[in-house]
Amino acid sequence: MIFTGRGYSMITDAIRRFSKEAPAAVLFRGVFARVFSDERMNQIFRDHEERQVESEIVFSSLIHLLAPVVSGGKASVHASYQECEEQIGVSKQAVYDKLQGVEPSVSDALVGVPAAELAQVLIKAKATKPDPIPGYHTFVIDGKRLDGTEHRFWETRRMKSSPLPGTVLAMLDTRLEMFVGIASHPDAYACERKVVLSLLEKLEKGSLYLADRNFCDGPLIDRFLHKEAFFILRHHGRSPRWREVPGSRPRKVGKDAHGGIVYEQEIEVLLPDGSWHRLRRITVELTKATRNGDTQLRFLTNLPAKVSAMAISDVYAGRWTIETCLGYVAQALNAEINTLAYPGAALLCFSLALVLFNILSALKTLLVKFSAPGDTPELSYYYLASEIAEARLGMEITIDHAYWKRCAALSLSEFISWIKSLAKGANLRRYRKHPRGPKRPPPKRSSGKRRAHVSTHRILENRKMLA
């Protein structure tokens, strides 16, 4: 797409070369400019700040500072600060003070607002994924405690315990393969059942929600029922209080896709108002124990009987978790910067990582959607993120910022056309995924106490002699 105006073309030779040699990087930068305009970022801060006030460092400056670090283009926050020190115009300490004061409500909105814009792009492009159970818009709710940071506070210097800067609960839309909302808390030990309440305010009537056993209790089930939403929850065992329906015993109904034997029965659970509500209880005898040693999985659901117990088991087994999503980009995204010990800074960086994952996920979907006809390989988040990180500085130097502003200002239809024009010329094989087989168990090794090292050359020579 050619932009013209003020007597010159906004597409230069540099843009053409980048579009040919690094289309994923150009697409990423264009999408980032659209969902993360300075005005939108600063408005997010104004709308959701509670105590922190605007200062010389506007919120958009923090995002531009952190984005290269989280995406892998810069090694540290300090390195990124040195690159844009003149533009920021304040001291490094002032930047860190601003970071540590960012409130969870702002970090939460940082995910939700751009996700809504990306959803419009995917829906307009007709690039959404099918529902795991046809007719049920499916979401996954999961939580994660952030990894430990360095012992930066004097109170932790003599501790071996790892300082944890917070906890995050997120909601993933399986149609979009994106996080559409999060609820974060600075206390890593905060009760997930209380933190998740703000997410449950966004439940949609008729949609399906999957969650682990941490979210299986009477008050939360009551919220699903009140919103007329469907759920599949892994049964905690002790919570909620339940009883068998007279005459309803577990009955074998078949096998799931993994060969597990599936049983079903009707039970009643106790709700906060003292009433009992009837649900389906699905039990799966696993062919292989989980990493926690469980040989059975039990689920509670209010899905109608037309949805088979085997389908319910398969959907839960294939659900995405925060760890799974971040695992795809763990080699390229620096989601948890261990030098940022303050919860405000750590939660902001994690939220930004989820936004970048959303953009990568949308980018991956759009590249496949609009690529030239032919054999389409499964794309790797790693190679996409690697190209973006490598091309970032070159594009910032050679491509005028006015070009990205023009991209961001396009109508939705024009923006889809711009994406299509770049994606159709992309060589997707350069981003293809290389799945590996199952890992072999490592052999038992000698202690190495008597011989701390060996000569690789002699090992290879001995191999030749034995051949």
Side-chain angles (χ1 to χ4, degrees), residues 113 117 140 169 241 250 336 399:
V113 174
E117 178 71 29
V140 180
L169 301 179
R241 184 180 171 188
E336 298 173 73
I399 301 178

Side-chain angles (χ1 to χ4, degrees), residues 83 190 198 332:
E83 182 181 291
S198 61

Side-chain angles (χ1 to χ4, degrees), residues 79-306:
S80 184
Y81 169 79
Q82 283 201 165
E83 182 181 291
C84 56
E85 183 176 0
E86 292 183 5
Q87 292 91 328
I88 292 179
V90 297
S91 68
K92 180 180 67 174
Q93 186 58 51
V95 170
Y96 282 116
D97 290 342
K98 180 80 172 184
L99 277 174
Q100 72 188 43
V102 175
E103 295 159 314
S105 57
V106 176
S107 297
D108 295 351
L110 185 66
V111 176
V113 174
E117 178 71 29
L118 286 172
Q120 292 181 15
V121 173
L122 290 176
I123 292 170
K124 181 71 174 178
K126 299 180 180 179
T128 56
K129 302 294 171 66
D131 296 321
I133 299 177
Y136 294 92
H137 190 178
T138 305
F139 298 84
V140 180
I141 300 174
D142 200 11
K144 173 180 171 57
R145 283 179 182 166
L146 299 191
D147 293 343
T149 65
E150 292 183 357
H151 294 69
R152 290 294 178 109
F153 303 136
W154 65 265
E155 294 93 339
T156 64
R157 290 298 175 91
R158 296 183 180 274
M159 294 180 182
K160 287 188 176 180
S161 304
S162 184
L164 306 180
T167 188
V168 173
L169 301 179
M171 183 183 293
L172 182 105
D173 187 332
T174 60
R175 283 184 184 174
L176 307 174
E177 288 190 355
M178 294 192 318
F179 292 101
V180 293
I182 70 167
S184 59
H185 199 284
D187 184 1
Y189 296 152
C191 177
E192 289 187 338
R193 295 180 183 180
K194 293 182 179 179
V195 177
V196 78
L197 294 179
S198 61
L199 277 182
L200 298 188
E201 294 299 322
K202 303 174 184 178
L203 295 178
E204 298 178 5
K205 180 180 178 180
S207 293
L208 173 63
Y209 295 86
L210 280 61
D212 206 349
R213 53 189 167 190
N214 290 341
F215 308 100
C216 185
D217 79 335
L220 297 187
I221 288 175
D222 189 49
R223 285 178 177 264
F224 285 111
L225 298 174
H226 180 72
K227 293 282 188 176
E228 298 183 46
F230 297 99
F231 57 83
I232 302 174
L233 306 176
R234 186 174 172 188
H235 196 186
H236 191 280
R238 296 181 180 178
S239 179
R241 184 180 171 188
W242 64 282
R243 67 187 182 189
E244 291 186 348
V245 173
S248 177
R249 303 291 298 172
R251 66 185 190 281
K252 181 178 177 181
V253 293
K255 290 186 177 181
D256 63 15
H258 302 282
I261 301 175
V262 182
Y263 299 85
E264 181 177 351
Q265 74 174 127
E266 286 188 330
I267 66 167
E268 291 180 336
V269 298
L270 183 63
L271 299 181
D273 62 1
S275 63
W276 293 86
H277 188 84
R278 187 167 295 192
L279 297 175
R280 299 167 66 189
R281 186 173 190 248
I282 313 297
T283 302
V284 183
E285 290 186 354
L286 303 174
T287 56
K288 182 181 178 182
T290 66
R291 62 184 178 184
N292 294 325
D294 297 325
T295 58
Q296 288 186 336
L297 295 180
R298 296 182 177 88
F299 311 113
L300 298 183
T301 183
N302 62 339
L303 283 168
K306 66 180 182 181

Side-chain angles (χ1 to χ4, degrees), residues 375-390:
D375 183 26
T376 304
E378 185 180 359
L379 302 189
S380 163
Y381 286 104
Y382 171 78
Y383 290 113
L384 288 171
S386 178
E387 178 178 287
I388 291 164
E390 291 170 0

